[in-house]
Structures are given as C-alpha cells and as structure tokens.
C-alpha cells in the first residue's frame, strides 16, 4: 500500500513541473507544450524545403521588390514569357477567342492561338537573395489598352516584346513608354521557323535610340527570359541610378 501511494505521489510531483498533456498528447519529460512546439518548426527542417529563399527564413532582412512590365502586340509571347520565368504558379487571365474578334485580331502569324489575355499576366522570380521581380504582362489588343496606366504604376521599367514578322505591332508600346518616360528595352522573340535578324537590324527598323538595349531571345526558354530581365534591370539602374 505504501508503495502505491509513493508512486502516485511521484507522478503527481512530476506533472506539476512539466507542461500538461493537451488533447490526449502525452507529455515528454523536459519538453514544452506540444502545440507550441508545432507552431515553431525546426529551422533545420525549413532549410530543406525546396524553393525557400534565405530572406524568407530571416525576418530581419527585407528583399528589394521591384516591378517590371512586359508589353507588346497581340500574340507576341507575353504570356509565354511570364509563364517560362515565374517561380510561382503564374496568374493568367486567358479567355477563349471567339468569332466575334475575327475582324480585330489578326491570327495570320499565330494560327494556332486559341486564347488571349484580357486583363494581365503575373509572375514572380527571385534574381538574387535580396532581389525579387514581380513581372506583369499587359494585354495586347487595343481594346484593353486602358489597363496599361494601372499596370505600369510603380514599375522600374518595361520589356517590349517584338515579332520580326509584324514589327509594327510593337509601335504603340514603344510610343507609350517613350511618352511616359519609363525605361524600356526591346526583346525580339524569335519564333521557330522564322528568319533570325541581328539586334542592330531590328534597332534600325524600329528607330530605337542607341541607348536602349535590343536583345534577341526565346520566350519559351527560362534562361533566355532571365537574361532579358537582367538586361532590363541593368538598363533601369543606368537610367535612374537613384
């Protein structure tokens, strides 16, 4: 009898010095509340998560978030551009094309195109441990140009995509960014099966100023898109170093 009483007393004293069990979860000796432990995961476990950046683990560091706009004519590859480079699932506002747009949307160069952007595309890419780019793609059709003023607000620069088969389609975007004073570069999206032109030839055809970079790229390939974004960031820093 004395043994039973002494054992019960020992258990009682141990319970008073340790955190109580919660919802039937046994308390381990020397451990804290299981719920509080679950709320604070082990940093070593977080480090192994795929895609986690250093600045996401260190709350004392705030990344530099910048905004870039991708513009151009209808069907030039803006949605493909954003999709190829985004490290998150991109936001897309695609709508099926109908016969109602046959008289306004020229599908001669892109006969297999079935959808079109009606608002914007959005993606994100981390270029460096402290530099995050938010990439916004504009709609190409003239009837959606009213959204451009909102999409470019706060952007450090723009990328104007061009298709050498229909260079005139990018003139509205070039005029827009020239008029608002936003730094921009021209990225020629080279479509498979089309003639490849040199950057200087495209510059002359578009009468782009000498200080504006012109690059040849492929919107389907991530590395090519990243190079275009880096060129845009570098140009923006040169144009507005402050």
């Amino acid at each position: 009898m004395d043994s039973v009483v002494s054992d019960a007393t020992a258990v009682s004293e141990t319970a008073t010095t340790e955190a109580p069990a919660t919802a039937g979860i046994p308390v381990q000796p020397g451990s804290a509340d299981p719920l509080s432990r679950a709320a604070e995961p082990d940093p070593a476990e977080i480090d192994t998560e795929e895609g986690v950046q250093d600045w996401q683990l260190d709350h004392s560091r705030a990344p530099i978030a910048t905004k870039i706009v991708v513009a151009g004519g209808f069907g030039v590859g803006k949605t493909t551009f954003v999709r190829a480079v985004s490290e998150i699932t991109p936001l897309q506002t695609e709508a099926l094309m109908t016969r109602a747009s046959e008289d306004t949307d020229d599908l001669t160069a892109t006969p297999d195109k079935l959808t079109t952007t009606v608002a914007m595309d959005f993606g994100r890419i981390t270029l460096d441990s402290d530099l995050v780019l938010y990439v916004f793609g504009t709609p190409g059709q003239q009837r959606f140009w009213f959204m451009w003023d909102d999409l470019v607000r706060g952007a450090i620069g723009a990328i104007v995509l061009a298709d050498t088969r229909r260079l005139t389609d990018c003139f509205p975007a070039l005029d827009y960014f020239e008029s608002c004073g936003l730094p921009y570069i021209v990225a020629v999206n080279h479509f498979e099966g089309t003639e490849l032109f040199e950057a200087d030839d495209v510059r002359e055809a578009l009468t782009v100023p000498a200080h504006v970079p012109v690059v040849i790229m492929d919107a389907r390939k991530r590395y090519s898109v990243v190079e275009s974004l880096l060129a845009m960031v570098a140009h923006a820093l040169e144009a507005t170093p402050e």
Side-chain angles (χ1 to χ4, degrees):
M1 185 67 178
D2 293 340
S3 175
V4 174
V5 172
S6 60
D7 291 345
T9 302
V11 171
S12 176
E13 292 175 351
T14 301
T16 59
T17 59
E18 296 178 349
T22 305
I25 302 177
V27 177
Q28 300 300 323
S31 65
D33 185 356
L35 289 185
S36 64
R37 287 170 55 85
E40 299 179 359
D42 187 358
E45 296 179 359
I46 299 179
D47 290 341
T48 60
E49 292 184 6
E50 184 178 357
V52 175
Q53 305 296 329
D54 293 341
W55 56 266
Q56 293 174 306
L57 303 177
D58 187 354
H59 297 292
S60 65
R61 296 166 55 193
I64 299 175
T66 58
K67 177 180 180 181
I68 284 182
V69 175
V70 182
F74 167 73
V76 76
K78 299 180 295 295
T79 299
T80 303
F81 184 104
V82 176
R83 185 190 305 125
V85 78
S86 181
E87 63 193 12
I88 62 173
T89 301
L91 170 64
Q92 300 177 352
T93 56
E94 295 283 295
L96 288 174
M97 300 183 64
T98 64
R99 292 187 176 181
S101 65
E102 287 182 345
D103 295 334
T104 56
D105 297 331
D106 184 9
L107 295 177
T108 304
T110 55
D112 298 329
K113 187 175 179 59
L114 302 177
T115 61
T116 184
T117 301
V118 296
M120 68 175 182
D121 298 307
F122 170 75
R124 186 194 73 193
I125 176 174
T126 304
L127 288 182
D128 199 359
S129 59
D130 293 324
L131 178 59
V132 179
L133 291 186
Y134 295 106
V135 186
F136 288 79
T138 66
Q141 295 95 325
Q142 184 176 359
R143 57 185 178 275
F144 299 124
W145 287 356
F146 68 91
M147 299 189 61
W148 286 25
D149 289 339
D150 292 329
L151 291 177
V152 303
R153 186 175 294 116
I156 65 168
I159 296 177
V160 178
L161 286 185
D163 181 354
T164 54
R165 296 170 296 179
R166 35 198 184 107
L167 284 177
T168 56
D169 289 355
C170 67
F171 281 144
L174 294 175
D175 293 340
Y176 180 87
F177 296 124
E178 284 282 0
S179 63
C180 69
L182 188 68
Y184 70 91
I185 71 169
V186 176
V188 180
N189 186 17
H190 177 60
F191 285 81
E192 187 175 353
T194 63
E195 185 177 357
L196 179 61
F197 293 90
E198 297 294 333
D200 290 339
D201 296 332
V202 177
R203 179 190 304 278
E204 182 178 356
L206 294 175
T207 64
V208 174
H211 68 276
V212 175
V214 177
V215 299
I216 309 297
M217 50 84 67
D218 188 335
R220 301 170 300 176
K221 299 178 180 178
R222 179 181 175 85
Y223 75 89
S224 183
V225 176
V226 169
E227 290 177 351
S228 301
L229 290 171
L230 290 173
M232 174 65 259
V233 173
H235 179 59
L237 290 175
E238 292 178 359
T240 55
E242 66 277 3

